[in-house]
Amino acid sequence: AQSVAQPEDQVNVAEGNPLTVKCTYSVSGNPYLFWYVQYPNRGLQFLLKYITGDNLVKGSYGFEAEFNKSQTSFHLKKPSALVSDSALYFCAVRDMRGGRDDKIIFGKGTRLHILP
Amino acid sequence: DTGVSQDPRHKITKRGQNVTFRCDPISEHNRLYWYRQTLGQGPEFLTYFQNEAQLEKSRLLSDRFSAERPKGSFSTLEIQRTEQGDSAMYLCASSIRDREEKLFFGSGTQLSVL
């Protein structure tokens, strides 16, 4: 069965510094990988996805993520953090092979706190 | 595109009562997911549909939970004999099942079981 792990409950970064939010996954086949963001009192919003192709994918609000097949990771990054990036971030995975793991499941989330 | 709508937004019930939530997905979306989220946690998969077919129900989910999507459009999630541990935000999401599946989430139904 597929799984996704976000090892950090919270990440604190000073404004203007680069940020990384970590995600690792496990699937039987090849993964579809996603990042979603949840701002306070708001619904989940799609940020970016990896399906195939370039290992570095770009998404909304200046975020990008790097797919690393050998390390089964899909870390979220941004070169320069903004206070407005403070939110809850969720990594998600779907097994491209289909079958029982053809559903999208989410990690437990990482709270990103950007310090002014 | 009117988005995914969920009704009601909030539900307060007494332990032991039955509750039903409704989700109206984006009209052309053939996939519909139900998730449960507690404060500060990630969405926990409950079940999902492709058109009217229920593809999977979480093994962690008790028989008190049931979901339907009778005509492949809206969906209902029913919880029978509610327990305090059922208190959570119930999220619905829809998508088109293709290589670029992207979930669109509703605002959720917040359930409080007293």
Side-chain angles (χ1 to χ4, degrees):
Chain A
Q2 82 252 59
S3 65
V4 58
Q6 294 181 242
E8 303 153 318
D9 289 337
Q10 181 162 316
V11 171
N12 297 319
V13 177
E15 186 177 24
N17 282 2
L19 69 86
T20 298
V21 182
K22 296 179 180 177
C23 171
T24 59
Y25 67 90
S26 173
V27 296
S28 299
N30 290 317
Y32 292 167
L33 292 158
F34 309 87
W35 277 99
Y36 284 78
V37 60
Q38 189 172 36
Y39 297 102
N41 300 314
R42 302 271 299 274
L44 280 103
Q45 300 175 34
F46 172 83
L47 207 52
L48 53 77
K49 66 181 183 291
Y50 170 82
I51 306 296
T52 60
D54 285 342
N55 289 342
L56 187 65
V57 294
K58 296 187 183 297
S60 308
Y61 313 122
F63 283 93
E64 55 191 28
E66 186 170 13
F67 171 63
N68 187 317
K69 188 171 183 177
S70 63
Q71 296 187 2
T72 62
S73 67
F74 188 58
H75 300 333
L76 181 69
K77 300 181 179 184
K78 188 173 182 180
S80 178
L82 300 172
V83 172
S84 57
D85 293 330
S86 298
L88 205 47
Y89 290 81
F90 297 100
C91 184
V93 67
R94 174 185 159 199
D95 192 332
M96 200 184 294
R97 188 184 64 169
R100 187 165 183 81
D101 291 336
D102 193 31
K103 60 188 180 290
I104 295 176
I105 65 164
F106 287 79
K108 293 185 175 182
T110 298
R111 185 168 298 282
L112 179 62
H113 188 204
I114 308 302
L115 307 168
Chain B
D1 179 359
T2 57
V4 179
S5 63
Q6 292 188 244
D7 183 68
R9 291 293 304 273
H10 304 275
K11 179 70 178 179
I12 300 174
T13 190
K14 292 182 179 179
R15 188 177 52 187
Q17 298 294 305
N18 299 343
V19 295
T20 300
F21 310 142
R22 177 180 170 121
C23 171
D24 286 273
I26 294 171
S27 59
E28 66 269 25
H29 285 187
N30 53 8
R31 281 231 166 153
L32 187 148
Y33 289 78
W34 285 100
Y35 294 91
R36 176 170 62 188
Q37 186 179 26
T38 53
L39 196 62
Q41 298 298 309
E44 175 193 4
F45 169 79
L46 297 181
T47 188
Y48 75 134
F49 294 84
Q50 181 151 321
N51 300 313
E52 66 275 9
Q54 186 174 21
L55 299 183
E56 185 178 343
K57 179 179 172 181
S58 170
R59 283 171 269 191
L60 299 176
L61 216 56
S62 80
D63 291 340
R64 298 184 297 105
F65 288 73
S66 62
E68 294 182 337
R69 194 183 183 196
K71 296 183 180 179
S73 57
F74 74 92
S75 175
T76 57
L77 177 69
E78 181 183 16
I79 309 174
Q80 295 182 329
R81 305 180 304 280
T82 52
E83 301 173 356
Q84 287 185 328
D86 297 332
S87 296
M89 176 72 83
Y90 289 83
L91 298 172
C92 176
S94 70
S95 69
I96 297 174
R97 190 204 179 278
D98 60 14
R99 283 171 54 83
E100 298 188 350
E101 183 168 338
K102 168 184 169 181
L103 293 178
F104 292 81
F105 280 85
S107 298
T109 294
Q110 181 67 53
L111 173 66
S112 298
V113 181
L114 305 178

PDB file of all heavy atoms in Angstrom, chain A residues 72-88:
ATOM      1  N   THR A  72      13.315   8.411  -2.815  1.00  0.00           N
ATOM      2  CA  THR A  72      11.838   8.436  -2.683  1.00  0.00           C
ATOM      3  C   THR A  72      11.392   9.674  -1.916  1.00  0.00           C
ATOM      4  O   THR A  72      10.644   9.592  -0.935  1.00  0.00           O
ATOM      5  CB  THR A  72      11.292   7.152  -2.016  1.00  0.00           C
ATOM      6  OG1 THR A  72      11.823   7.029  -0.685  1.00  0.00           O
ATOM      7  CG2 THR A  72      11.639   5.923  -2.830  1.00  0.00           C
ATOM      8  N   SER A  73      11.872  10.816  -2.392  1.00  0.00           N
ATOM      9  CA  SER A  73      11.521  12.071  -1.723  1.00  0.00           C
ATOM     10  C   SER A  73      10.933  13.066  -2.709  1.00  0.00           C
ATOM     11  O   SER A  73      11.148  12.980  -3.930  1.00  0.00           O
ATOM     12  CB  SER A  73      12.750  12.674  -1.043  1.00  0.00           C
ATOM     13  OG  SER A  73      13.704  13.087  -1.998  1.00  0.00           O
ATOM     14  N   PHE A  74      10.207  14.016  -2.155  1.00  0.00           N
ATOM     15  CA  PHE A  74       9.585  15.071  -2.961  1.00  0.00           C
ATOM     16  C   PHE A  74       9.512  16.304  -2.065  1.00  0.00           C
ATOM     17  O   PHE A  74       8.452  16.710  -1.602  1.00  0.00           O
ATOM     18  CB  PHE A  74       8.198  14.619  -3.432  1.00  0.00           C
ATOM     19  CG  PHE A  74       7.548  15.543  -4.429  1.00  0.00           C
ATOM     20  CD1 PHE A  74       8.164  15.852  -5.632  1.00  0.00           C
ATOM     21  CD2 PHE A  74       6.275  16.073  -4.186  1.00  0.00           C
ATOM     22  CE1 PHE A  74       7.550  16.691  -6.558  1.00  0.00           C
ATOM     23  CE2 PHE A  74       5.654  16.905  -5.111  1.00  0.00           C
ATOM     24  CZ  PHE A  74       6.291  17.213  -6.297  1.00  0.00           C
ATOM     25  N   HIS A  75      10.650  16.911  -1.836  1.00  0.00           N
ATOM     26  CA  HIS A  75      10.736  18.042  -0.906  1.00  0.00           C
ATOM     27  C   HIS A  75      10.253  19.335  -1.549  1.00  0.00           C
ATOM     28  O   HIS A  75      10.589  19.626  -2.701  1.00  0.00           O
ATOM     29  CB  HIS A  75      12.169  18.223  -0.417  1.00  0.00           C
ATOM     30  CG  HIS A  75      12.719  17.041   0.309  1.00  0.00           C
ATOM     31  ND1 HIS A  75      11.943  16.141   0.998  1.00  0.00           N
ATOM     32  CD2 HIS A  75      14.003  16.603   0.435  1.00  0.00           C
ATOM     33  CE1 HIS A  75      12.699  15.211   1.527  1.00  0.00           C
ATOM     34  NE2 HIS A  75      13.963  15.459   1.203  1.00  0.00           N
ATOM     35  N   LEU A  76       9.521  20.106  -0.778  1.00  0.00           N
ATOM     36  CA  LEU A  76       9.010  21.409  -1.225  1.00  0.00           C
ATOM     37  C   LEU A  76      10.029  22.483  -0.886  1.00  0.00           C
ATOM     38  O   LEU A  76      10.577  22.488   0.226  1.00  0.00           O
ATOM     39  CB  LEU A  76       7.677  21.704  -0.518  1.00  0.00           C
ATOM     40  CG  LEU A  76       6.975  23.003  -0.874  1.00  0.00           C
ATOM     41  CD1 LEU A  76       6.440  22.949  -2.309  1.00  0.00           C
ATOM     42  CD2 LEU A  76       5.833  23.266   0.098  1.00  0.00           C
ATOM     43  N   LYS A  77      10.247  23.414  -1.830  1.00  0.00           N
ATOM     44  CA  LYS A  77      11.270  24.429  -1.611  1.00  0.00           C
ATOM     45  C   LYS A  77      10.788  25.784  -2.096  1.00  0.00           C
ATOM     46  O   LYS A  77       9.900  25.877  -2.946  1.00  0.00           O
ATOM     47  CB  LYS A  77      12.561  24.050  -2.353  1.00  0.00           C
ATOM     48  CG  LYS A  77      13.146  22.729  -1.925  1.00  0.00           C
ATOM     49  CD  LYS A  77      14.423  22.401  -2.666  1.00  0.00           C
ATOM     50  CE  LYS A  77      14.997  21.069  -2.183  1.00  0.00           C
ATOM     51  NZ  LYS A  77      16.288  20.736  -2.811  1.00  0.00           N
ATOM     52  N   LYS A  78      11.430  26.813  -1.538  1.00  0.00           N
ATOM     53  CA  LYS A  78      11.228  28.169  -2.021  1.00  0.00           C
ATOM     54  C   LYS A  78      12.500  28.949  -1.729  1.00  0.00           C
ATOM     55  O   LYS A  78      13.028  28.878  -0.622  1.00  0.00           O
ATOM     56  CB  LYS A  78      10.018  28.822  -1.336  1.00  0.00           C
ATOM     57  CG  LYS A  78       9.649  30.174  -1.937  1.00  0.00           C
ATOM     58  CD  LYS A  78       8.355  30.701  -1.360  1.00  0.00           C
ATOM     59  CE  LYS A  78       7.996  32.032  -2.013  1.00  0.00           C
ATOM     60  NZ  LYS A  78       6.724  32.589  -1.473  1.00  0.00           N
ATOM     61  N   PRO A  79      13.002  29.687  -2.692  1.00  0.00           N
ATOM     62  CA  PRO A  79      14.294  30.361  -2.506  1.00  0.00           C
ATOM     63  C   PRO A  79      14.283  31.441  -1.438  1.00  0.00           C
ATOM     64  O   PRO A  79      15.273  31.649  -0.750  1.00  0.00           O
ATOM     65  CB  PRO A  79      14.586  30.968  -3.883  1.00  0.00           C
ATOM     66  CG  PRO A  79      13.716  30.218  -4.836  1.00  0.00           C
ATOM     67  CD  PRO A  79      12.495  29.823  -4.059  1.00  0.00           C
ATOM     68  N   SER A  80      13.140  32.142  -1.298  1.00  0.00           N
ATOM     69  CA  SER A  80      13.082  33.256  -0.353  1.00  0.00           C
ATOM     70  C   SER A  80      11.701  33.278   0.290  1.00  0.00           C
ATOM     71  O   SER A  80      10.704  33.565  -0.368  1.00  0.00           O
ATOM     72  CB  SER A  80      13.354  34.583  -1.082  1.00  0.00           C
ATOM     73  OG  SER A  80      13.269  35.667  -0.193  1.00  0.00           O
ATOM     74  N   ALA A  81      11.659  32.986   1.582  1.00  0.00           N
ATOM     75  CA  ALA A  81      10.369  32.838   2.269  1.00  0.00           C
ATOM     76  C   ALA A  81       9.720  34.182   2.564  1.00  0.00           C
ATOM     77  O   ALA A  81      10.402  35.184   2.845  1.00  0.00           O
ATOM     78  CB  ALA A  81      10.573  32.074   3.569  1.00  0.00           C
ATOM     79  N   LEU A  82       8.396  34.180   2.524  1.00  0.00           N
ATOM     80  CA  LEU A  82       7.593  35.349   2.894  1.00  0.00           C
ATOM     81  C   LEU A  82       6.772  35.016   4.136  1.00  0.00           C
ATOM     82  O   LEU A  82       6.377  33.853   4.328  1.00  0.00           O
ATOM     83  CB  LEU A  82       6.637  35.729   1.762  1.00  0.00           C
ATOM     84  CG  LEU A  82       7.263  36.106   0.424  1.00  0.00           C
ATOM     85  CD1 LEU A  82       6.169  36.267  -0.630  1.00  0.00           C
ATOM     86  CD2 LEU A  82       8.097  37.372   0.556  1.00  0.00           C
ATOM     87  N   VAL A  83       6.480  36.021   4.938  1.00  0.00           N
ATOM     88  CA  VAL A  83       5.637  35.797   6.123  1.00  0.00           C
ATOM     89  C   VAL A  83       4.292  35.190   5.704  1.00  0.00           C
ATOM     90  O   VAL A  83       3.745  34.329   6.400  1.00  0.00           O
ATOM     91  CB  VAL A  83       5.436  37.106   6.907  1.00  0.00           C
ATOM     92  CG1 VAL A  83       4.410  36.923   8.012  1.00  0.00           C
ATOM     93  CG2 VAL A  83       6.759  37.588   7.487  1.00  0.00           C
ATOM     94  N   SER A  84       3.799  35.594   4.544  1.00  0.00           N
ATOM     95  CA  SER A  84       2.503  35.096   4.060  1.00  0.00           C
ATOM     96  C   SER A  84       2.546  33.625   3.655  1.00  0.00           C
ATOM     97  O   SER A  84       1.503  33.021   3.385  1.00  0.00           O
ATOM     98  CB  SER A  84       2.017  35.925   2.871  1.00  0.00           C
ATOM     99  OG  SER A  84       2.988  35.908   1.832  1.00  0.00           O
ATOM    100  N   ASP A  85       3.735  33.021   3.619  1.00  0.00           N
ATOM    101  CA  ASP A  85       3.844  31.583   3.340  1.00  0.00           C
ATOM    102  C   ASP A  85       3.509  30.737   4.568  1.00  0.00           C
ATOM    103  O   ASP A  85       3.396  29.513   4.458  1.00  0.00           O
ATOM    104  CB  ASP A  85       5.257  31.232   2.874  1.00  0.00           C
ATOM    105  CG  ASP A  85       5.610  31.830   1.533  1.00  0.00           C
ATOM    106  OD1 ASP A  85       4.696  32.011   0.706  1.00  0.00           O
ATOM    107  OD2 ASP A  85       6.808  32.117   1.313  1.00  0.00           O
ATOM    108  N   SER A  86       3.364  31.355   5.710  1.00  0.00           N
ATOM    109  CA  SER A  86       3.040  30.623   6.928  1.00  0.00           C
ATOM    110  C   SER A  86       1.695  29.925   6.765  1.00  0.00           C
ATOM    111  O   SER A  86       0.668  30.574   6.517  1.00  0.00           O
ATOM    112  CB  SER A  86       2.992  31.579   8.123  1.00  0.00           C
ATOM    113  OG  SER A  86       4.247  32.190   8.344  1.00  0.00           O
ATOM    114  N   ALA A  87       1.712  28.614   6.883  1.00  0.00           N
ATOM    115  CA  ALA A  87       0.510  27.806   6.637  1.00  0.00           C
ATOM    116  C   ALA A  87       0.851  26.354   6.942  1.00  0.00           C
ATOM    117  O   ALA A  87       1.962  26.021   7.336  1.00  0.00           O
ATOM    118  CB  ALA A  87       0.040  27.949   5.195  1.00  0.00           C
ATOM    119  N   LEU A  88      -0.157  25.503   6.714  1.00  0.00           N
ATOM    120  CA  LEU A  88       0.017  24.057   6.874  1.00  0.00           C
ATOM    121  C   LEU A  88       0.202  23.456   5.477  1.00  0.00           C
ATOM    122  O   LEU A  88      -0.599  23.733   4.575  1.00  0.00           O
ATOM    123  CB  LEU A  88      -1.238  23.498   7.541  1.00  0.00           C
ATOM    124  CG  LEU A  88      -1.203  22.205   8.348  1.00  0.00           C
ATOM    125  CD1 LEU A  88      -0.048  22.176   9.321  1.00  0.00           C
ATOM    126  CD2 LEU A  88      -2.522  22.041   9.077  1.00  0.00           C
TER     127      LEU A  88
END
